[in-house]
Structures are given as C-alpha cells and as structure tokens.
Amino acid sequence: MAFEKMDFVCVIAVICLFGVVDGFSFGAPEDFCQYENLQDRNVRMVPGHRGVDPMNTRSPAGYRIVVGPEEANGARKVTLRADPGDYFRGFFIQATRANYALDRGDRPAYGTFRPADTNSQPRRCRSAVGKVGGITHTGNNNKTEISFDWEPPRGCNLGDIQFVATVVRAYSEYWVDVRSDVIAPSGFVGDRGLLCQLYVNPYSKILQRRVLSALRNIQTMQQSRRTGGTAGTLSTQG
Ligand SMILES: *[C@@H]1O[C@H](CO)[C@@H](O)[C@H](O)[C@H]1NC(C)=O
C-alpha cells in the first residue's frame, strides 16, 4: 500500500517536472541527470518535449562530436559540430563507457566538463560519482559548433570511452545517442583503485558499501590519531 502511494507521487513529480521545463531555452534543467529514485533516471537523455519522439528512426543526425588529443593534465577538448548547412539549438553531452547501450541502467557518466565560454554550462550527474558528468547549452540561439573541455578522474583507468549527445534542433526535432569515435584508454592504465572501480560502476551496491566502509575507516583513523586511540576502539564496538 505504502509503496503504491509512493510510486504514484513519483509519477506525478516527473510529469510536473517535465511540464515545467518544456522547451529548455536555458539548457537542460539542473536535475536532468539527478534523481530521487533510481527508476526515475533519465538514462536515455531524452528531453522533456511532451509527445515528441526522437528523430533517430526518421533521419540520421547531422551532427558530429569531435574529441581532441589528450593534453598534459589529461583533459581533452570536445566539439559538437553541425554538418554544413545544419544547426542545433540545444544539447546535452556525457562521457560514458564505449559501445554501451544508452538505456543500460548501470551506465556511468565519466569525468568533469568545463565550459570554454558562456555558451555552455555544466550539469551535475549522480552517475558521475562526485564529478560533473554533463554539459548543456545556455541559450536557444542557432549554433553550428560548440566546444568545451572534459577532464577524466585523476589516476583512474576508465577503459575505452565515448562521448554521447542529445541534440535539439527544434522542439519537435531532436536526436538522441549521437556518439563520438571510441577513445582508447590513455594516461593511467594500471589496476583500478577502489574509487575508480566505483567511477566505472557507479550503481554497484557492493562497491558503494566498500567505498563507504573505506571512508569510515579513514575517518576513524583520523579521529583516533586526534584523540589518542579511543575513537578506533569505540567504532569497533558499534
Ligand atoms: C535558425 O535557423 C532556422 C533555419 O535556417 C531559421 O528558420 C530560424 O529563423 C533561425 N533562428 C534564429 C533565431 O536565427
């Protein structure tokens, strides 16, 4: 009973949310890739354009994501570009596991996006484990090209990655799953540390518990050092 009621409230909340954000003239909303409940995740990155399906099956997307070489700090310049004569107004981009289906419920969002100018703005994603995870437009003017920077988590082997975009040309014309070439691993490619395993697999309950437990241990050690050993003893009793 309680569950049914909760599900009902969630459904209403989602409808209300999408109702309010029709049009997205100021970019994908703050909560585009945040969510209260796992089942509300917008894994397919579909904008809240009510009653409008993506154009994918009707015509190929006239857009490309071009990824620059790795820079000294590990960052890369990423450009979303319309084919000659085409344009776009809105977009939302993530970095994710290469060749991984968009609607896989455990799909991660990697790294942190930094706007290169005032035409784009970052969006936090819960699937990015403390990183920014997404970037979107700031206005609905016609655009032919837009660039920004992307930085992977430091010292982390992500494996093959791919940038994936939702691109909006008009309210009734948008494409999902526009992908860059596969980017082969670069920088650090050794064994994955615990936190890096969580970046790659953000929805693993086992990893979440292991990371929390490791953080608690660190905290206990720090407290123990401060108080001369008592905190460590106390925590093993709890
Ligand atoms: C954007 O481009 C389309 C197609 O060329 C055009 O109809 C529209 O007026 C343009 N909008 C703006 C704001 O320039």
Side-chain angles (χ1 to χ4, degrees), residues 9 17 19 34 37 48 83 159 161 179 183 185 187 194 201 213-214 219 221 226:
V9 173
L17 179 75
Q34 297 274 356
N37 303 287
D83 287 349
I161 68 159
R179 287 178 183 251
I183 311 297
L194 186 55
N201 239 321
S213 147
Q219 211 176 20
M221 260 159 47
R226 239 176 274 134

Side-chain angles (χ1 to χ4, degrees), residues 87 89 140-142:
Y87 67 98
R89 286 179 174 162
N140 65 353
N141 54 316
N142 291 356

Side-chain angles (χ1 to χ4, degrees), residues 65-98:
I65 306 173
V66 182
V67 183
E70 188 180 21
E71 288 156 22
N73 62 357
R76 289 172 186 271
K77 186 179 170 196
V78 180
T79 302
L80 174 64
R81 187 174 293 154
D83 287 349
D86 209 338
Y87 67 98
F88 57 96
R89 286 179 174 162
F91 67 92
F92 184 84
I93 295 186
Q94 288 182 335
T96 194
R97 195 177 300 164

Side-chain angles (χ1 to χ4, degrees), residues 210-222:
R210 284 176 62 198
V211 168
L212 276 178
S213 147
L215 289 174
R216 251 182 248 126
N217 285 345
I218 292 169
Q219 211 176 20
T220 308
M221 260 159 47
Q222 285 170 344

